[in-house]
Amino acid sequence: LMRYLCSAMLVAAQLAYAVVGVLSCLQSTEVSKYTELSQLPSFTTAAHVGEIGLDALLRSFLQICRGRDESSSAQREALLAAVRAQGAQLMSLQKALFKDEQHHEGHE
C-alpha cells in the first residue's frame, strides 16, 4: 500500500503540474482568446476528466487512511494509469492550444 500511496501522490502532483501549466497559459492570454479556449469541448472535457481523476485519487487515499479500502492492486494500478493519461492529455492540450505563445516565448 505504501508504494501505491507514493505513486498516487506523484501522479497527483504531475496532474496538478499540468493543470497549473494550462492555467498559467490561460492567465496570460487575451480575453477574447481565453473565452474562445475555455469553451472548446476538448478543453472543458479535459478539465472535467482531470477533476474526476483527482477526486478518485483522493477518495482512494481517504479509504486507505480509514482502513476501508477494498480495491484490488489491479484496480489501484488502473486508477494510477488513468490519472497519468489525464495528465499527459492536459500537457498535450496545452502544447496544442498555446503553441503560438510558447513559440514566441522561446524567441524573446
Side-chain angles (χ1 to χ4, degrees), residues 1-2 6-8 14 16 18 26 28 46 54 82 84 87 95 101 106:
L1 270 181
M2 186 56 73
C6 290
S7 294
Q14 290 169 333
L26 275 176
S28 65
L54 283 177
R84 272 189 202 99
K95 289 177 185 174
E101 286 82 358

Side-chain angles (χ1 to χ4, degrees), residues 49-66:
V49 169
E51 181 180 0
I52 290 170
L54 283 177
D55 286 347
L57 280 176
L58 288 172
R59 194 170 28 262
S60 173
F61 178 75
L62 288 173
Q63 288 173 342
I64 290 169
C65 290
R66 293 176 178 154

Side-chain angles (χ1 to χ4, degrees), residues 38-95:
S38 65
Q39 294 176 3
L40 288 174
S42 59
F43 187 80
T44 57
T45 300
H48 181 68
V49 169
E51 181 180 0
I52 290 170
L54 283 177
D55 286 347
L57 280 176
L58 288 172
R59 194 170 28 262
S60 173
F61 178 75
L62 288 173
Q63 288 173 342
I64 290 169
C65 290
R66 293 176 178 154
R68 297 182 188 158
D69 180 46
E70 297 178 8
S71 59
S72 68
S73 178
Q75 289 170 318
R76 289 190 293 266
E77 288 303 316
L79 175 59
L80 290 175
V83 176
R84 272 189 202 99
Q86 292 164 359
Q89 180 186 17
L90 275 174
M91 295 292 281
S92 177
L93 187 63
Q94 176 187 354
K95 289 177 185 174

Side-chain angles (χ1 to χ4, degrees), residues 28-44:
S28 65
T29 63
E30 297 292 326
V31 173
S32 60
K33 185 168 183 175
Y34 173 89
T35 303
E36 174 189 334
L37 292 174
S38 65
Q39 294 176 3
L40 288 174
S42 59
F43 187 80
T44 57

Side-chain angles (χ1 to χ4, degrees), residues 18-32:
V19 168
V20 168
V22 170
L23 290 175
S24 69
C25 288
L26 275 176
Q27 187 265 337
S28 65
T29 63
E30 297 292 326
V31 173
S32 60

